[in-house]
Amino acid sequence: MSAPLPEQMRCVEIKAPGGPEELVPSTRATPVPGPDEVLIKTTAAGVNRPDVLQRRGLYPVPPGASDLPGLEVAGTIAAWGANVTGYEGGEAVCALVPGGGYAEYVTTPAPHCLPIPTGLGHQEAAALPENYFTVWHNVFDRGALQAGEVLLVHGGASGIGTTAIQMAQLWGARVFTTAGTEAKCALCRELGADLAINYREQDFAAAIQEHTGQAEGGVDVVLDMVGGDYITPNLKILNPDGRYVFIAFQGGSRAQVDFGPLMRRRLTVTGSTLRPQSAERKARIAAGLLRWAWPQLNAGAMKPILTAVMPLEQAADAHRLMESGELKGKIVLDLATTPVG
């Protein structure tokens, strides 16, 4: 331990499954890190769609994880377990956490921490881990995106989307994306997308066919968080040996699919969720990010896109904003300022 810690901490709890009003400010005992964990004094916490699903009762907490919402934070190292080395206390980090991010202190396995990139503040750094871990694992590990290929990102103006666009174009790939307004499409193009399609005004598959001049194919990897009615057209626009990667099903997880084209064009369909994966796998993802993505962030070649920063006690309002559909980039909760009163 580096210094005496408070016995109690501020946090936001989910009182019962339901709407944003179920997010209630509270206090809890400060957690104690396990042998392979660090304790982070949280200065900022990212808000993500899995937090919303957990609040609704649709995203179970893994065994042993905190039931408090919050999967990514920035802050400083406050304490560490017996097996952890290399810390003196006070180091600024951002981290993927298994839960508990909406709190003044949170524990996580030490290898899931990354240094805050050069030039970024804690609020910006708190918006990195969930998106960067997700995109690295799904686009580059599972999707095996190569330089010169084409990536289609649905929801391009979301936190995941803005991250995937920047990472893929720096990787040397071309990026197509969909978004729901012209302002969101403009943001996608600003970040490096070659083609941004307003899905409310155009059929995305037809727009890609027109852009590429191909009746079938045109895309090598699809990163999909929609599913549902998007599944069949996504398969149609994949090139031979294309890869279709699911990370969410906002439009539903079921579709009637003709598997003949999958066989003829040798398509791969895969996907993942991040939270249930092992600590060891997440540590490997963190190591990959540290090798490639963090130098790009340190150089200013990529950046997180923030929509709003709100006090921890306004977590319910943050969830309302996320569910409004008006989001561009990320929402972050500020814990560095102690509330008055």
Side-chain angles (χ1 to χ4, degrees), residues 25-77:
S26 185
T27 58
R28 285 213 184 165
T30 301
V32 176
D36 300 307
E37 295 180 328
V38 296
L39 178 71
I40 299 171
K41 180 174 172 56
T42 308
T43 51
V47 177
N48 294 281
R49 195 158 295 277
D51 303 344
V52 173
L53 295 177
Q54 180 181 337
R55 190 204 73 221
R56 294 175 181 171
L58 302 175
Y59 198 58
V61 176
S66 170
D67 66 325
L68 297 176
L71 300 174
E72 61 183 347
V73 301
T76 55
I77 299 294

Side-chain angles (χ1 to χ4, degrees), residues 83-94:
N83 297 336
V84 177
T85 61
Y87 290 112
E88 297 181 356
E91 292 88 351
V93 297
C94 57

Side-chain angles (χ1 to χ4, degrees), residues 41 50 58-59 68 82 114 139 142 154 162 191 194-195 228 231 235 239 243 255-256 268 301 338:
K41 180 174 172 56
L58 302 175
Y59 198 58
L68 297 176
L114 291 161
V139 173
R142 306 190 75 83
H154 289 295
T162 54
L191 294 175
D194 296 271
L195 175 67
I231 292 174
L235 291 170
N239 289 327
R243 289 83 72 196
Q256 187 171 4
T268 298
T338 302

Side-chain angles (χ1 to χ4, degrees), residues 205-279:
I208 289 172
Q209 290 171 340
E210 180 181 354
H211 184 79
T212 62
Q214 297 180 222
E216 189 174 73
V219 171
D220 298 291
V221 179
V222 174
L223 182 65
D224 187 14
M225 60 190 82
V226 181
D229 292 340
Y230 276 32
I231 292 174
T232 295
N234 278 330
L235 291 170
K236 183 176 181 179
I237 58 175
L238 277 170
N239 289 327
D241 297 305
R243 289 83 72 196
Y244 187 169
V245 187
F246 289 100
I247 57 170
F249 294 107
Q250 294 176 27
S253 61
R254 295 172 181 260
Q256 187 171 4
V257 176
D258 179 1
F259 275 78
L262 273 73
M263 296 172 64
R264 290 194 298 272
R265 303 210 310 279
R266 305 174 303 280
L267 305 182
T268 298
V269 177
T270 185
S272 74
T273 55
L274 184 60
R275 191 177 190 183
Q277 296 193 47
S278 70

